[in-house]
Amino acid sequence: MRFLRSLPLLFLVLVLCCSGCMSVSLKPYYTPENQIPVPDELVGLWRLEKLQGKTQKTNLLQLQIAKNGETKVTQFPEKEGEETIHRSTFYTQCFRVNGELYADCMIRSLKTLPAAEALTMIPGHLLVKLSVSGETLRAVYPLNLPKLAEDGKLPIGLTRILPETTPGKAEAIWVFTAPGSVWEETLKTMSPQIFPDDSRASCEFRRVLIQ
């Protein structure tokens, strides 16, 4: 799992760098009843402004969200003179639970990232909680999900496969197998515990262009 830490593009977007453990689901987090089209307020071009509460360099990373759910991410070189531009594409399905907006993200492609193609082999859905306030988009990763799973505090119906870890390492991938209906009930009652109000679990984007 060491290579995961060298993929800033993916983790900047999905805030996976906030935790030593990564959570994915083999089934969608949403149901046919709670899925919705991408809200108009999400559509457009965004640039990363804050990651884990820290202000980022202007235009270091851009997020482009289309109405059809295609989400393109571009990371520009951090240092002047570097030419490598990292790009990735996700498919985003939005859904609402108790009026709160969530995104089910699936990796479509990761280009020019060392060892990144291995991640496309994980048939997993990634969960993010979203909110838009004015020209700011805030994305929160379920930072506490692995800990809640370890402590046995998640509903019994939220089935998962026990994670495997690299010897001597704490990182693990928690693979959940519960259907969207179970996630819906879980988010209704446990969203504050799963998504903490903690800058370590969030990043903020500033709108660049409305499409």
Side-chain angles (χ1 to χ4, degrees), residues 43-44 53 58 62 96 108 133-134 155 176 197 204 208:
V43 177
T58 302
Q62 289 187 349
R96 289 190 185 276
R108 287 288 178 81
S133 177
F176 289 85
D197 186 15
E204 294 182 5
V208 176

Side-chain angles (χ1 to χ4, degrees), residues 13-196:
V13 179
L14 300 175
V15 207
L16 300 182
C17 60
C18 301
S19 172
C21 293
M22 175 179 171
S23 302
V24 300
S25 175
L26 296 183
K27 298 180 181 179
Y29 292 100
Y30 56 89
T31 69
E33 292 73 29
N34 66 24
Q35 70 178 24
I36 62 172
V38 174
D40 291 339
E41 61 265 28
L42 289 183
V43 177
L45 184 64
W46 306 80
R47 66 171 173 80
L48 182 69
E49 189 167 73
K50 290 184 179 180
L51 174 68
Q52 297 179 303
K54 298 179 181 180
T55 301
Q56 302 296 303
K57 296 179 181 179
T58 302
N59 292 330
L60 177 59
L61 184 142
Q62 289 187 349
L63 179 69
Q64 187 170 16
I65 304 175
K67 187 65 177 178
N68 65 1
E70 185 178 71
T71 302
K72 295 182 178 180
V73 188
T74 304
Q75 181 184 355
F76 297 94
E78 294 187 40
K79 298 179 181 179
E80 190 173 343
E82 293 182 348
E83 297 182 358
T84 302
I85 297 178
H86 298 159
R87 305 180 191 276
S88 68
T89 303
F90 299 83
Y91 177 74
T92 301
Q93 174 62 60
C94 293
F95 64 102
R96 289 190 185 276
V97 176
N98 279 358
E100 295 187 297
L101 180 63
Y102 299 89
D104 179 311
C105 304
M106 286 284 290
I107 301 170
R108 287 288 178 81
S109 67
L110 290 167
K111 298 180 180 179
T112 73
L113 293 175
E117 290 302 322
L119 283 178
T120 62
M121 298 175 65
I122 301 174
H125 298 252
L126 303 169
L127 179 63
V128 182
K129 187 175 183 178
L130 302 173
S131 62
V132 178
S133 177
E135 300 302 304
T136 299
L137 167 63
R138 187 168 187 255
V140 184
Y141 175 69
L143 178 67
N144 291 341
L145 197 55
K147 179 62 175 174
L148 291 169
E150 290 175 4
D151 294 345
K153 295 182 178 180
L154 294 176
I156 296 177
L158 205 63
T159 52
R160 61 258 184 196
I161 301 171
L162 292 177
E164 294 186 6
T165 57
T166 302
K169 299 291 180 179
E171 297 91 338
I173 296 181
W174 282 85
V175 181
F176 289 85
T177 57
S181 58
V182 176
W183 280 104
E184 181 177 34
E185 294 303 314
T186 302
L187 293 174
K188 283 181 180 178
T189 58
M190 299 191 66
S191 185
Q193 295 99 305
I194 294 173
F195 297 90

